[in-house]
Amino acid sequence: MKEQLIELKSRALAAIEAAQDVKSLEDVKVVYLGKKGELTSVLKQMGKLTAEERPVMGALANEVRERFESEYNTKVSALKNAEILTRMANEKIDITLPGKRRRMGSRHPLNIVLDELKEIFTSMGYTMVYGPEVEKTRYVFDMLETHEGHPARDEQDTFYIDDETILRTQTSSVQIRTMLDAVKNNALPLAIISPGRVYRCDEVDATHSPIFHQCEGLVINKNITFADLKGTLEVFFKRLYGDSIQLRFRPHHFPYTEPSAEVDLSCFKCGGGGCPFCKGEGWIEMLGCGMVHPQVLRNCGIDPDEYTGFAFGMGIERITLMRYEIDDMRLLYENDMRFLKQF
Ligand code: DAH
């Protein structure tokens, strides 16, 4: 048995020595120290020994096992270290590769124009207010004297949430909210602009979209006249487009203003001579405006004998197209970087 143990020891140690990786080393362990391993089966024969032989063989067997285990442990950590080193060598990251370039976005032309518009009006003393896009039909129509069955209501045939709630078709609803608030808080006079999104049941073409942007303006004070309206819009458009731009006020009808007008600007492409862009007119329609109707003032609890005011509503897309000489509104919504990068 002694010879058997010594022979086994030298074979086992040689096998440990020969193992090339952790997996085969573990197999060696099973072969010698496993339940059915060689050392285990030698030990099972201990019963056959005499009482004197047993402790001697026992000590030798223990020595063989201890030596095996210590060699085994040393080899395991050597192999694991080697494996880590190989992995580190193989998975090296080449930090000299150029990184992925992040493309810088640019500001959308609608936002650029909107900021210019805010800047001009706030410099004239206007405050910015915002109103909800999901709005009461009362504020969008009724309190603006556009009652059920009114043709102007039909024209803006729109997205109803329920009988009393719609996606607003015009920012004019903010007029009502602002006047009600001002009366409640005793905050007259007032001068506000309110930009935002509006919704109409429109097909998309070069000049229409079911979602677009407007900016409402409202001034209420004592002794406000149509001359104030004209002067304000003239200052605004000249600051936006330069002094050579011309304004034309055309009589019109809106249910919530009296008198009412539409304002045209001389065409930016032809300067007024007539071209395809202005459909030969020389003028481009820009906005609606007028003196706030006395009944609208009354609806909001304002005495029309004490206060008067003017209001206007302009399409921000139109202003943007004209500002940058873009001839198709759809370009504003397509998010094509080649287009957007130009501003
Ligand atoms: N709300 C009108 C529209 O959407 C524009 C407008 C006209 C606004 C006259 C006004 C106004 O404030 O006084 O076409």
Side-chain angles (χ1 to χ4, degrees), residues 21-264:
D21 52 52
V22 177
K23 174 77 184 62
S24 46
L25 188 62
E26 278 165 359
D27 293 343
V28 171
K29 191 173 185 176
V30 173
V31 168
Y32 291 94
L33 289 193
K35 265 197 190 136
K36 294 179 181 154
E38 291 198 34
L39 184 63
T40 321
S41 58
V42 173
L43 292 176
K44 277 183 189 151
Q45 297 166 32
M46 293 280 268
K48 294 180 194 154
L49 298 175
T50 62
E52 294 89 61
E53 282 175 323
R54 216 173 285 153
V56 182
M57 283 306 137
L60 182 58
N62 272 341
E63 190 199 307
V64 171
R65 191 177 53 229
E66 272 160 24
R67 178 74 195 282
F68 183 94
E69 280 176 346
S70 91
E71 291 293 316
Y72 176 87
N73 289 338
T74 314
K75 183 84 186 206
V76 166
S77 46
L79 284 177
K80 283 194 172 157
N81 277 341
E83 274 174 23
I84 289 171
L85 288 176
T86 333
R87 242 182 51 211
M88 282 193 344
N90 291 341
E91 292 177 7
K92 219 180 343 184
I93 303 168
D94 183 355
I95 55 166
T96 61
L97 270 179
K100 279 190 191 145
R101 226 174 255 284
R102 267 175 201 276
R103 267 194 294 173
M104 280 291 273
S106 59
R107 306 199 40 239
H108 195 281
L110 280 175
N111 282 327
I112 301 175
V113 166
L114 190 55
D115 279 354
E116 280 181 272
L117 187 149
K118 288 181 197 166
E119 158 73 30
I120 297 172
F121 276 109
T122 48
S123 77
M124 291 198 270
Y126 285 67
T127 320
M128 299 271 304
V129 302
Y130 293 96
E133 291 171 24
V134 177
E135 183 58 289
K136 297 182 168 90
T137 46
R138 257 185 339 122
Y139 292 177
V140 181
F141 296 129
D142 303 270
M143 289 182 76
L144 289 165
E145 290 301 297
T146 316
H147 298 285
E148 196 112 42
H150 194 290
R153 196 156 163 161
D154 220 44
E155 221 170 68
Q156 297 191 359
D157 195 16
T158 181
F159 305 105
Y160 278 81
I161 310 286
D162 59 41
D163 285 351
E164 288 163 13
T165 322
I166 53 168
L167 293 180
R168 67 181 180 190
T169 60
Q170 48 183 7
T171 44
S172 301
S173 51
V174 183
Q175 289 189 32
I176 302 296
R177 286 185 171 272
T178 309
M179 286 189 276
L180 290 174
D181 264 8
V183 168
K184 197 167 102 192
N185 300 318
N186 212 1
L188 287 172
L190 64 86
I192 60 105
I193 57 162
S194 183
R197 237 173 251 140
V198 298
Y199 303 81
R200 291 186 196 176
C201 213
D202 257 334
E203 299 289 334
V204 180
D205 68 19
T207 52
H208 292 91
S209 151
I211 304 174
F212 60 103
H213 300 78
Q214 284 189 333
C215 182
E216 197 75 12
L218 176 70
V219 173
I220 307 282
N221 204 341
K222 292 178 177 159
N223 303 319
I224 293 288
T225 70
F226 202 92
D228 298 310
L229 170 60
K230 280 187 86 169
T232 302
L233 290 177
E234 184 152 342
V235 167
F236 167 69
F237 281 116
K238 293 206 155 155
R239 278 184 60 184
L240 193 66
Y241 293 126
D243 281 339
S244 60
I245 200 85
Q246 286 184 302
L247 280 74
R248 179 173 80 171
F249 285 74
R250 235 181 330 100
H252 199 78
H253 172 79
F254 295 104
Y256 35 94
T257 41
E258 180 57 35
S260 306
E262 277 190 336
V263 176
D264 303 331

